[in-house]
Amino acid sequence: MLREENELLTHVGPGTPLGELYRRFWVPALLAEELPERDGPPVRTRILGEDLVGFRDTGGQVGFVARNCPHRGASLFFGRNEEDGLRCVYHGWKFDVTGQCVDMPNEPAESNFKTKIRATSYPARERGGVIWIYMGPQERIPELPELEWARVPADQRDVWRVTNEANWLQMIEGDLDTCHSMFLHSAVDPSALLLTSRRFEQTSDRAPRISLKQTDWGFAYAGRYAALGGRHNWRVTQWLMPCYTLIANRAWPVVGRAVVPADDEHCHFFTIRYSGEGPLDRDRLPNRGAERTVYTMPDGSLIDTYRPLANRSNDYLLDRERQRIKNYTGMFRIFDEDRAMTESMGPIVDRTQEHLGTSDLAVIGLRRRLLSMMKELQQGVEPAAPHDGSVYHVRSYDTVSDEGDFERFLEEHRSGMLAVV
């Protein structure tokens, strides 16, 4: 990969090509549980390189405003959330969820100065246990993506998030890499497998044949493994614009992910497990392994987030004895294994030093599609997917089949393209 391409794919701030592309979509910002009450405490976050404060007003509406008050720059995080607005405690200026200044008590009563002042703000909506944010042109506000996990009842869904110490692209490329699971998530002792799939028992090789099909919502790709009895284990996974993946998995409920850049070197990683058929068996859900914390960014800014208990500072709780006799990595959770690999690359991996193989077809496809979309947007061609939420009606798929051709497999099973109503 060219250095210039790597920079295009990893820089997300205002005015950057990728940042502007992301800003055409609604993306997850917070869990709804992080702003549970009206007039409750605000939350600090950073999204696409911008420091923001989220709050729920008296009427229950959520909004995001720039962290620093437009008066003298004090942090609105310390503000009083009261009577349909967030009031800066420095001089009393108050802003509603649209960013409009609605009260300026340190100015003369007859002054209309407040009508001329707005804080940078972004609209928010709630769906699927998530608070979403849109940071793009206000004249082009799109639809919320109709991902199945965001539309099922609450008892059929489990959503959580953490902030990871790596660029967003590293994290999502890990999800689009089916063959790593045959190594990273495997075990020395078969009883130690975490039941992510029965493919470990069914496949006779670790080198999948990868196929990819571009779609109007992103792409579907399949890893075809040689299975026992001359059959094929098919794992069909999706990337949905701009930051969603649906991971093929049969032993657990459907697994979805969303990777939202905080800045160039951090991302918010949402993990979703859900069932399209009925309530989840919550006793089978893995422990989230994260704690609510105030995290200090490298530039000194603070954000309110969830941080994994197993992290870079403690080598992800690596146990060498466990690695020797139990599982491939010596770590305890699949999520920790994934993060250890992607964060160990550094904040932004130098992709000019890579040597990609045939198993990296989906990773290559993602990069090419994003580069193409950024170029089109710079030429004035807006992405269509944000304005049709129904294109996100798809599911991942994991099965054993006699079919050996990807196109025929899709036709036979309608997997990867299956409309979910």
Side-chain angles (χ1 to χ4, degrees):
M1 170 176 280
L2 298 176
R3 188 171 304 279
E4 295 78 9
E5 293 176 327
N6 196 35
E7 291 177 355
L8 284 171
L9 289 166
T10 54
H11 294 276
V12 299
T16 62
L18 182 66
E20 291 306 304
L21 178 62
Y22 247 97
R23 284 167 170 80
R24 265 45 183 190
F25 296 80
W26 286 97
V27 294
L30 302 171
L31 302 178
E33 66 189 43
E34 295 181 75
L35 292 174
E37 57 183 311
R38 302 180 184 200
D39 292 337
V43 172
R44 296 165 290 196
T45 190
R46 178 178 291 179
I47 300 175
L48 298 177
E50 299 188 44
D51 289 315
L52 306 171
V53 174
F55 68 102
R56 188 183 298 275
D57 71 10
T58 308
Q61 187 174 357
V62 175
F64 290 92
V65 294
R67 178 188 64 189
N68 300 103
C69 178
H71 179 208
R72 297 266 297 279
S75 174
L76 289 171
F77 167 75
F78 297 105
R80 297 175 60 88
N81 187 6
E82 59 185 17
E83 298 175 345
D84 287 317
L86 190 61
R87 187 182 297 276
C88 180
V89 295
Y90 201 9
H91 297 93
W93 289 22
K94 181 178 176 182
F95 303 88
D96 66 16
V97 293
T98 72
Q100 178 63 52
C101 184
V102 294
D103 192 22
M104 198 175 281
N106 67 334
E107 291 292 315
E110 66 273 15
S111 171
N112 68 348
F113 187 35
K114 68 181 181 183
T115 64
K116 302 176 182 180
I117 301 298
R118 295 185 70 91
T120 298
S121 67
Y122 299 109
R125 294 184 187 172
E126 291 184 65
R127 176 183 284 177
V130 167
I131 297 172
W132 306 71
I133 188 171
Y134 173 71
M135 301 173 68
Q138 294 304 293
E139 69 276 11
R140 296 192 60 84
I141 295 180
E143 298 182 18
L144 283 172
E146 295 181 9
L147 295 148
E148 186 180 22
W149 61 260
R151 297 184 297 124
V152 297
D155 63 355
Q156 295 177 215
R157 174 184 60 241
D158 181 64
V159 186
W160 52 288
R161 79 173 180 97
V162 297
T163 297
N164 289 334
E165 298 172 313
N167 181 263
W168 82 283
L169 190 61
Q170 286 159 231
M171 308 305 297
I172 202 165
E173 286 179 346
D175 283 348
L176 298 175
D177 173 13
T178 183
C179 76
H180 84 262
S181 62
M182 302 302 294
F183 301 89
L184 187 67
H185 306 319
S186 64
V188 177
D189 176 1
S191 67
L193 286 175
L194 300 182
L195 297 178
T196 59
S197 172
R198 293 185 59 81
R199 64 185 177 280
F200 295 101
E201 302 171 17
Q202 296 169 333
T203 58
S204 58
D205 71 358
R206 293 185 172 189
R209 305 302 186 265
I210 306 295
S211 301
L212 185 144
K213 184 177 181 63
Q214 296 285 353
T215 72
D216 53 358
W217 42 260
F219 62 71
Y221 90 97
R224 190 198 76 187
Y225 297 83
L228 303 178
R231 307 181 78 197
H232 303 284
N233 177 201
W234 287 94
R235 300 189 71 222
V236 180
T237 296
Q238 291 88 2
W239 166 66
L240 302 103
M241 302 174 188
C243 60
Y244 311 102
T245 54
L246 294 173
I247 312 300
N249 193 317
R250 289 190 298 129
W252 289 100
V254 181
V255 177
R257 299 267 175 78
V259 186
V260 180
D263 55 25
D264 294 349
E265 299 185 353
H266 300 78
C267 60
H268 305 298
F269 195 84
F270 292 76
T271 296
I272 306 98
R273 287 182 169 85
Y274 78 96
S275 169
E277 281 69 48
L280 292 177
D281 180 355
R282 296 190 178 271
D283 291 337
R284 296 191 64 220
L285 294 175
N287 185 284
R288 296 180 178 185
E291 62 179 353
R292 185 72 173 169
T293 188
V294 177
Y295 179 76
T296 304
M297 304 293 272
D299 63 2
S301 295
L302 303 177
I303 63 172
D304 302 301
T305 189
Y306 299 86
R307 189 166 191 235
L309 299 176
N311 54 64
R312 188 174 59 177
S313 68
N314 55 29
D315 292 327
Y316 307 90
L317 301 180
L318 170 64
D319 183 331
R320 291 294 185 184
E321 180 62 13
R322 179 181 178 88
Q323 185 180 39
R324 188 179 69 83
I325 65 174
K326 277 286 188 182
N327 64 329
Y328 204 71
T329 66
M331 300 173 200
F332 290 87
R333 302 170 70 246
I334 287 173
F335 182 54
D336 300 332
E337 294 170 336
D338 287 331
R339 281 187 303 102
M341 296 302 99
T342 50
E343 292 183 347
S344 71
M345 299 172 183
I348 303 178
V349 66
D350 183 358
R351 291 179 174 80
T352 67
Q353 302 302 306
E354 291 179 329
H355 299 84
L356 303 183
T358 58
S359 65
D360 298 306
L361 179 62
V363 170
I364 296 169
L366 173 67
R367 298 175 187 178
R368 289 178 176 173
R369 186 71 177 272
L370 287 171
L371 289 168
S372 175
M373 291 174 66
M374 284 187 278
K375 183 177 180 179
E376 290 175 352
L377 184 58
Q378 289 178 311
Q379 294 172 345
V381 180
E382 296 281 341
H387 299 280
D388 183 1
S390 66
V391 300
Y392 292 87
H393 291 188
V394 297
R395 279 186 188 174
S396 57
Y397 206 69
D398 186 342
T399 192
V400 174
S401 172
D402 292 326
E403 188 54 66
D405 176 79
F406 186 42
E407 290 292 339
R408 291 184 60 183
F409 175 81
L410 290 176
E411 181 179 351
E412 177 183 346
H413 295 274
R414 300 187 67 220
S415 70
M417 313 295 145
L418 179 65
V420 178
V421 295

PDB file of all heavy atoms in Angstrom, residues 253-270:
ATOM      1  N   PRO A 253     -25.536 -16.343  19.630  1.00  0.00           N
ATOM      2  CA  PRO A 253     -26.399 -15.476  18.828  1.00  0.00           C
ATOM      3  C   PRO A 253     -25.567 -14.715  17.795  1.00  0.00           C
ATOM      4  O   PRO A 253     -24.341 -14.716  17.842  1.00  0.00           O
ATOM      5  CB  PRO A 253     -26.984 -14.524  19.888  1.00  0.00           C
ATOM      6  CG  PRO A 253     -26.873 -15.253  21.182  1.00  0.00           C
ATOM      7  CD  PRO A 253     -25.636 -16.072  21.066  1.00  0.00           C
ATOM      8  N   VAL A 254     -26.241 -14.053  16.881  1.00  0.00           N
ATOM      9  CA  VAL A 254     -25.547 -13.300  15.841  1.00  0.00           C
ATOM     10  C   VAL A 254     -24.660 -12.244  16.492  1.00  0.00           C
ATOM     11  O   VAL A 254     -25.050 -11.589  17.457  1.00  0.00           O
ATOM     12  CB  VAL A 254     -26.558 -12.627  14.895  1.00  0.00           C
ATOM     13  CG1 VAL A 254     -25.838 -11.861  13.788  1.00  0.00           C
ATOM     14  CG2 VAL A 254     -27.494 -13.669  14.300  1.00  0.00           C
ATOM     15  N   VAL A 255     -23.458 -12.071  15.970  1.00  0.00           N
ATOM     16  CA  VAL A 255     -22.523 -11.089  16.498  1.00  0.00           C
ATOM     17  C   VAL A 255     -22.382  -9.941  15.511  1.00  0.00           C
ATOM     18  O   VAL A 255     -22.082 -10.149  14.333  1.00  0.00           O
ATOM     19  CB  VAL A 255     -21.138 -11.712  16.768  1.00  0.00           C
ATOM     20  CG1 VAL A 255     -20.157 -10.646  17.249  1.00  0.00           C
ATOM     21  CG2 VAL A 255     -21.243 -12.828  17.802  1.00  0.00           C
ATOM     22  N   GLY A 256     -22.623  -8.729  15.985  1.00  0.00           N
ATOM     23  CA  GLY A 256     -22.417  -7.532  15.182  1.00  0.00           C
ATOM     24  C   GLY A 256     -21.388  -6.643  15.837  1.00  0.00           C
ATOM     25  O   GLY A 256     -21.170  -6.700  17.054  1.00  0.00           O
ATOM     26  N   ARG A 257     -20.743  -5.827  15.031  1.00  0.00           N
ATOM     27  CA  ARG A 257     -19.747  -4.889  15.549  1.00  0.00           C
ATOM     28  C   ARG A 257     -19.946  -3.530  14.882  1.00  0.00           C
ATOM     29  O   ARG A 257     -20.413  -3.442  13.743  1.00  0.00           O
ATOM     30  CB  ARG A 257     -18.333  -5.379  15.269  1.00  0.00           C
ATOM     31  CG  ARG A 257     -17.987  -6.733  15.907  1.00  0.00           C
ATOM     32  CD  ARG A 257     -17.346  -6.554  17.263  1.00  0.00           C
ATOM     33  NE  ARG A 257     -17.109  -7.801  17.955  1.00  0.00           N
ATOM     34  CZ  ARG A 257     -16.104  -8.643  17.710  1.00  0.00           C
ATOM     35  NH1 ARG A 257     -15.282  -8.396  16.710  1.00  0.00           N
ATOM     36  NH2 ARG A 257     -15.937  -9.726  18.435  1.00  0.00           N
ATOM     37  N   ALA A 258     -19.543  -2.484  15.567  1.00  0.00           N
ATOM     38  CA  ALA A 258     -19.453  -1.144  14.993  1.00  0.00           C
ATOM     39  C   ALA A 258     -18.162  -0.527  15.502  1.00  0.00           C
ATOM     40  O   ALA A 258     -17.885  -0.575  16.712  1.00  0.00           O
ATOM     41  CB  ALA A 258     -20.646  -0.292  15.385  1.00  0.00           C
ATOM     42  N   VAL A 259     -17.364   0.019  14.596  1.00  0.00           N
ATOM     43  CA  VAL A 259     -16.080   0.619  14.957  1.00  0.00           C
ATOM     44  C   VAL A 259     -16.131   2.093  14.569  1.00  0.00           C
ATOM     45  O   VAL A 259     -16.140   2.424  13.389  1.00  0.00           O
ATOM     46  CB  VAL A 259     -14.901  -0.080  14.255  1.00  0.00           C
ATOM     47  CG1 VAL A 259     -13.583   0.481  14.766  1.00  0.00           C
ATOM     48  CG2 VAL A 259     -14.955  -1.594  14.476  1.00  0.00           C
ATOM     49  N   VAL A 260     -16.176   2.963  15.567  1.00  0.00           N
ATOM     50  CA  VAL A 260     -16.328   4.398  15.330  1.00  0.00           C
ATOM     51  C   VAL A 260     -15.041   5.103  15.752  1.00  0.00           C
ATOM     52  O   VAL A 260     -14.648   5.013  16.925  1.00  0.00           O
ATOM     53  CB  VAL A 260     -17.532   4.957  16.104  1.00  0.00           C
ATOM     54  CG1 VAL A 260     -17.674   6.454  15.859  1.00  0.00           C
ATOM     55  CG2 VAL A 260     -18.802   4.209  15.715  1.00  0.00           C
ATOM     56  N   PRO A 261     -14.386   5.793  14.840  1.00  0.00           N
ATOM     57  CA  PRO A 261     -13.140   6.473  15.219  1.00  0.00           C
ATOM     58  C   PRO A 261     -13.376   7.544  16.285  1.00  0.00           C
ATOM     59  O   PRO A 261     -14.279   8.377  16.154  1.00  0.00           O
ATOM     60  CB  PRO A 261     -12.665   7.116  13.904  1.00  0.00           C
ATOM     61  CG  PRO A 261     -13.367   6.359  12.819  1.00  0.00           C
ATOM     62  CD  PRO A 261     -14.692   5.950  13.402  1.00  0.00           C
ATOM     63  N   ALA A 262     -12.572   7.499  17.342  1.00  0.00           N
ATOM     64  CA  ALA A 262     -12.531   8.607  18.293  1.00  0.00           C
ATOM     65  C   ALA A 262     -11.624   9.698  17.731  1.00  0.00           C
ATOM     66  O   ALA A 262     -11.984  10.864  17.674  1.00  0.00           O
ATOM     67  CB  ALA A 262     -12.042   8.126  19.647  1.00  0.00           C
ATOM     68  N   ASP A 263     -10.444   9.278  17.319  1.00  0.00           N
ATOM     69  CA  ASP A 263      -9.509  10.137  16.616  1.00  0.00           C
ATOM     70  C   ASP A 263      -8.636   9.220  15.776  1.00  0.00           C
ATOM     71  O   ASP A 263      -8.995   8.056  15.538  1.00  0.00           O
ATOM     72  CB  ASP A 263      -8.706  11.018  17.579  1.00  0.00           C
ATOM     73  CG  ASP A 263      -7.971  10.231  18.667  1.00  0.00           C
ATOM     74  OD1 ASP A 263      -7.676   9.027  18.447  1.00  0.00           O
ATOM     75  OD2 ASP A 263      -7.684  10.798  19.730  1.00  0.00           O
ATOM     76  N   ASP A 264      -7.491   9.693  15.324  1.00  0.00           N
ATOM     77  CA  ASP A 264      -6.665   8.868  14.445  1.00  0.00           C
ATOM     78  C   ASP A 264      -6.090   7.647  15.152  1.00  0.00           C
ATOM     79  O   ASP A 264      -5.762   6.655  14.493  1.00  0.00           O
ATOM     80  CB  ASP A 264      -5.504   9.699  13.873  1.00  0.00           C
ATOM     81  CG  ASP A 264      -5.973  10.812  12.951  1.00  0.00           C
ATOM     82  OD1 ASP A 264      -7.170  10.812  12.584  1.00  0.00           O
ATOM     83  OD2 ASP A 264      -5.152  11.679  12.613  1.00  0.00           O
ATOM     84  N   GLU A 265      -5.975   7.683  16.479  1.00  0.00           N
ATOM     85  CA  GLU A 265      -5.270   6.627  17.209  1.00  0.00           C
ATOM     86  C   GLU A 265      -6.130   5.905  18.239  1.00  0.00           C
ATOM     87  O   GLU A 265      -5.617   5.098  19.007  1.00  0.00           O
ATOM     88  CB  GLU A 265      -4.017   7.211  17.883  1.00  0.00           C
ATOM     89  CG  GLU A 265      -3.027   7.785  16.872  1.00  0.00           C
ATOM     90  CD  GLU A 265      -1.738   8.262  17.516  1.00  0.00           C
ATOM     91  OE1 GLU A 265      -1.660   8.263  18.769  1.00  0.00           O
ATOM     92  OE2 GLU A 265      -0.801   8.625  16.772  1.00  0.00           O
ATOM     93  N   HIS A 266      -7.435   6.188  18.263  1.00  0.00           N
ATOM     94  CA  HIS A 266      -8.351   5.514  19.183  1.00  0.00           C
ATOM     95  C   HIS A 266      -9.683   5.297  18.478  1.00  0.00           C
ATOM     96  O   HIS A 266     -10.043   6.039  17.562  1.00  0.00           O
ATOM     97  CB  HIS A 266      -8.604   6.346  20.449  1.00  0.00           C
ATOM     98  CG  HIS A 266      -7.384   6.641  21.251  1.00  0.00           C
ATOM     99  ND1 HIS A 266      -6.483   7.628  20.891  1.00  0.00           N
ATOM    100  CD2 HIS A 266      -6.908   6.086  22.390  1.00  0.00           C
ATOM    101  CE1 HIS A 266      -5.506   7.657  21.776  1.00  0.00           C
ATOM    102  NE2 HIS A 266      -5.742   6.740  22.702  1.00  0.00           N
ATOM    103  N   CYS A 267     -10.427   4.291  18.933  1.00  0.00           N
ATOM    104  CA  CYS A 267     -11.757   4.054  18.370  1.00  0.00           C
ATOM    105  C   CYS A 267     -12.682   3.505  19.441  1.00  0.00           C
ATOM    106  O   CYS A 267     -12.249   2.889  20.418  1.00  0.00           O
ATOM    107  CB  CYS A 267     -11.696   3.102  17.172  1.00  0.00           C
ATOM    108  SG  CYS A 267     -11.037   1.462  17.539  1.00  0.00           S
ATOM    109  N   HIS A 268     -13.975   3.766  19.250  1.00  0.00           N
ATOM    110  CA  HIS A 268     -15.004   3.206  20.113  1.00  0.00           C
ATOM    111  C   HIS A 268     -15.514   1.933  19.436  1.00  0.00           C
ATOM    112  O   HIS A 268     -15.944   1.955  18.281  1.00  0.00           O
ATOM    113  CB  HIS A 268     -16.140   4.198  20.309  1.00  0.00           C
ATOM    114  CG  HIS A 268     -15.679   5.524  20.832  1.00  0.00           C
ATOM    115  ND1 HIS A 268     -15.062   5.670  22.057  1.00  0.00           N
ATOM    116  CD2 HIS A 268     -15.744   6.778  20.290  1.00  0.00           C
ATOM    117  CE1 HIS A 268     -14.769   6.943  22.249  1.00  0.00           C
ATOM    118  NE2 HIS A 268     -15.163   7.630  21.201  1.00  0.00           N
ATOM    119  N   PHE A 269     -15.465   0.838  20.171  1.00  0.00           N
ATOM    120  CA  PHE A 269     -15.744  -0.480  19.621  1.00  0.00           C
ATOM    121  C   PHE A 269     -17.007  -1.023  20.264  1.00  0.00           C
ATOM    122  O   PHE A 269     -17.024  -1.356  21.451  1.00  0.00           O
ATOM    123  CB  PHE A 269     -14.543  -1.392  19.898  1.00  0.00           C
ATOM    124  CG  PHE A 269     -14.515  -2.659  19.109  1.00  0.00           C
ATOM    125  CD1 PHE A 269     -13.998  -2.685  17.827  1.00  0.00           C
ATOM    126  CD2 PHE A 269     -14.985  -3.843  19.653  1.00  0.00           C
ATOM    127  CE1 PHE A 269     -13.953  -3.866  17.096  1.00  0.00           C
ATOM    128  CE2 PHE A 269     -14.951  -5.019  18.931  1.00  0.00           C
ATOM    129  CZ  PHE A 269     -14.428  -5.030  17.648  1.00  0.00           C
ATOM    130  N   PHE A 270     -18.084  -1.067  19.484  1.00  0.00           N
ATOM    131  CA  PHE A 270     -19.359  -1.587  19.962  1.00  0.00           C
ATOM    132  C   PHE A 270     -19.483  -3.057  19.569  1.00  0.00           C
ATOM    133  O   PHE A 270     -19.265  -3.412  18.405  1.00  0.00           O
ATOM    134  CB  PHE A 270     -20.518  -0.808  19.336  1.00  0.00           C
ATOM    135  CG  PHE A 270     -20.626   0.623  19.792  1.00  0.00           C
ATOM    136  CD1 PHE A 270     -19.756   1.595  19.316  1.00  0.00           C
ATOM    137  CD2 PHE A 270     -21.605   0.995  20.699  1.00  0.00           C
ATOM    138  CE1 PHE A 270     -19.859   2.917  19.725  1.00  0.00           C
ATOM    139  CE2 PHE A 270     -21.725   2.321  21.120  1.00  0.00           C
ATOM    140  CZ  PHE A 270     -20.842   3.281  20.629  1.00  0.00           C
TER     141      PHE A 270
END
